[in-house]
Amino acid sequence: MGACSSTSQSGGAASASSPRPAATTTSSKSKGDSNMDTDMKSTDVESREQQINIHSKAKAKRAQNVFAEPLDMSEDFVIPNFPKSDGAVKFIDESLADNFIFASLTKEERRLLIDAMKADEVPAGTVIIQQGEVGDYFYVVEDGNISFNVDGNNVGACSRGASFGELALLYNCPRAATCIANSRCKIWKVDQRTFRYMLANNNASLQKGVLEVLRKVQFLSNLDEATLIRIADALTSVSYNEGDRIINKGDAGEVFYILKEGRVRVHDIGFGDSQYVDQVLGPGDFFGERALLTGDPRLANITAEVASVTLCLSREEFERILGPLQDLIDHALKKRVLMGVPIFANSQFQPYEMSRLTDLVAEVAFHKGEVLAEEGQPAKQNLYIIREGKVTVANENGMISTLTPGDYFGEKLIQTGD
């Protein structure tokens, strides 16, 4: 059975087909156990979303650890400085570049963190991190190979340029994996207090204004303060430079985003022949919810037009915290889809008119083989947007096209009134 959201019919006949199976969520790179305290650097969007999910889980564990003692982050703390060559500084800086937790640091803050890192060499067989212990250092590997074991099982390895160990330091939780040197290794390390001092001060500045941003989100605006604080505590801040790709079309979606600062463009929308207008989003706007709600691949590319900051929620936290708001989220999603259709995007509708129009959208199901419209016969003046399944359209010239989720039809009838 197919389903269309109706608010189709161009000339010819249209019929419904069986729906596509939901996309299987797979990761693009193997990173070992998802709970590992070993976030290797990566440059692709899916790996970054995996990192965000790992951090979300660590945050949840921290919230459950009521006996965890916070570090003393006194203002008179003196950051250590270990002299190193320009080559070493450049190497460490490049190694940190792809770990999103450092993206929001200024150049000066990054340099202070790099200067605080101390060189160390360990022989083969050295246990650098022991699963279950309290974290004491964050590491960057310059030479050698290190394996990761969880409960005695090997779950991955890393080599030159990898960094690991930040989760236990950031969230004051036990080490999630044992890290063993497979060969003689040269590593750079920074102690927990320095690491937390640098990152905690930066995170505190990032968290400023989060509640104000959440109140701008359409489906969150009427929630009470306690609920907003609970949502804010679960969010992870991620910074992007101008031109950075935040979401890749076709990827499996694992993260929900709220734009805190900056401006992003939603482009290359849809997989079929239907044309959608690019959408520009600003602070308080959100994206990424469709893939989490439907299990389908990402439907568009999203790119930062200027330096931007997003507030991210993992799939698990999205379902746990925002699950009860699904009807409100679905309404907002329908509204954004309508605003991407050219006849509405180019209209002069006011926001309240678009909201009323969205209220008129109804979900209608059709059986496989059912004819929605037939050439030469009266047709309903409806716009149909395919939510699930496929619709085949046979045009008067004999051309046959297949429309899939995200495609729409019937817009010409609405425009002409014929």
Side-chain angles (χ1 to χ4, degrees):
M1 176 180 289
C4 294
S5 294
S6 170
T7 141
S8 90
Q9 282 75 296
S10 52
S15 60
S17 305
S18 299
R20 279 191 311 194
T24 301
T25 300
T26 58
S27 57
S28 61
K29 291 186 179 180
S30 174
K31 297 188 63 179
D33 185 86
S34 61
N35 292 311
M36 283 181 58
D37 187 6
T38 53
D39 291 296
M40 264 66 81
K41 75 170 191 174
S42 65
T43 57
D44 65 284
V45 174
E46 282 193 304
S47 289
R48 183 173 59 235
E49 290 202 348
Q50 290 174 19
Q51 288 183 338
I52 293 170
N53 275 311
I54 291 170
H55 278 255
S56 292
K57 290 180 180 179
K59 277 189 172 186
K61 289 182 179 179
R62 176 190 62 180
Q64 296 169 3
N65 185 9
V66 296
F67 300 107
E69 296 183 6
L71 292 178
D72 179 14
M73 307 302 291
S74 57
E75 293 183 2
D76 59 353
F77 175 68
V78 178
I79 300 173
N81 187 313
F82 298 98
K84 47 186 66 69
S85 68
D86 291 342
V89 171
K90 184 175 184 292
F91 166 74
I92 297 172
D93 190 50
E94 291 175 347
S95 299
L96 301 180
D98 293 318
N99 192 324
F100 77 85
I101 68 169
F102 303 111
S104 59
L105 295 178
T106 65
K107 290 183 179 180
E108 292 75 17
E109 290 170 333
R110 282 169 67 95
R111 183 56 191 261
L112 286 173
L113 180 63
I114 292 170
D115 288 344
M117 301 195 81
K118 181 180 180 180
D120 194 10
E121 291 192 13
V122 297
T126 300
V127 176
I128 302 171
I129 286 177
Q130 181 66 53
Q131 181 180 355
E133 291 186 351
V134 176
D136 50 3
Y137 287 97
F138 166 72
Y139 302 90
V140 173
V141 183
E142 181 167 341
D143 287 308
N145 183 275
I146 297 171
S147 63
F148 306 106
N149 298 312
V150 175
D151 299 329
N153 300 312
N154 182 270
V155 294
C158 73
S159 55
R160 178 178 173 84
S163 60
F164 60 94
E166 71 267 32
L167 292 184
L169 272 60
L170 276 176
Y171 306 119
N172 210 24
C173 57
R175 297 291 196 184
T178 296
C179 305
I180 304 173
N182 295 326
S183 62
R184 185 170 188 80
C185 296
K186 181 177 181 180
I187 55 181
W188 294 94
K189 62 183 184 180
V190 62
D191 67 275
Q192 183 190 42
R193 190 179 184 199
T194 302
F195 185 84
R196 285 281 298 275
Y197 181 84
M198 297 297 301
L199 272 296
N201 283 347
N202 182 260
N203 287 339
S205 65
L206 285 176
Q207 289 303 315
K208 291 179 180 178
V210 168
L211 290 180
E212 286 74 13
V213 173
L214 293 183
R215 290 190 184 97
K216 294 179 182 178
V217 178
Q218 183 179 355
F219 63 87
L220 299 178
S221 59
N222 293 323
L223 297 181
D224 59 73
E225 187 87 356
T227 302
L228 287 179
I229 291 175
R230 186 161 60 93
I231 295 172
D233 287 343
L235 294 167
T236 299
S237 295
V238 182
S239 299
Y240 301 89
N241 295 318
E242 178 183 349
D244 282 353
R245 182 63 57 82
I246 302 174
I247 283 180
N248 273 333
K249 182 177 178 177
D251 281 356
E254 293 296 327
V255 173
F256 169 69
Y257 300 84
I258 297 172
L259 189 58
K260 180 176 184 283
E261 300 173 11
R263 186 177 71 249
V264 304
R265 178 173 293 273
V266 185
H267 55 102
D268 304 314
I269 304 172
F271 291 106
D273 296 330
S274 297
Q275 298 296 313
Y276 282 91
V277 176
D278 288 359
Q279 298 185 34
V280 177
L281 307 180
D285 287 328
F286 60 92
F287 52 92
E289 75 288 351
R290 179 187 174 278
L292 272 61
L293 291 171
T294 66
D296 290 338
R298 297 292 197 189
L299 196 61
N301 291 319
I302 300 182
T303 304
E305 290 198 323
V306 297
S308 301
V309 178
T310 62
L311 304 172
C312 305
L313 204 59
S314 68
R315 173 186 289 274
E316 184 175 320
E317 292 300 290
F318 177 84
E319 294 172 349
R320 182 178 69 85
I321 298 176
L322 300 184
L325 305 177
Q326 184 164 337
D327 289 343
L328 294 175
I329 297 172
D330 194 51
H331 185 275
L333 175 60
K334 290 176 182 177
K335 181 179 179 181
R336 187 159 65 227
V337 170
L338 288 179
M339 292 177 66
V341 177
I343 60 172
F344 299 124
N346 299 325
S347 71
Q348 301 299 317
F349 286 155
Q350 297 299 313
Y352 76 92
E353 292 175 314
M354 284 302 303
S355 293
R356 290 175 60 184
L357 185 64
T358 305
D359 291 337
L360 298 176
V361 175
E363 186 168 302
V364 182
F366 302 96
H367 295 285
K368 181 178 179 180
E370 184 176 347
V371 176
L372 280 66
E374 192 169 357
E375 184 176 5
Q377 299 300 316
K380 294 181 179 179
Q381 291 178 314
N382 288 341
L383 170 70
Y384 291 87
I385 301 172
I386 302 174
R387 183 163 184 167
E388 296 178 10
K390 299 178 182 180
V391 172
T392 300
V393 179
N395 296 317
E396 57 187 10
N397 58 7
M399 296 292 293
I400 297 177
S401 59
T402 300
L403 306 181
T404 56
D407 283 331
Y408 59 86
F409 57 100
E411 72 281 6
K412 292 182 180 179
L413 289 173
I414 292 180
Q415 289 176 294
T416 62
D418 295 335

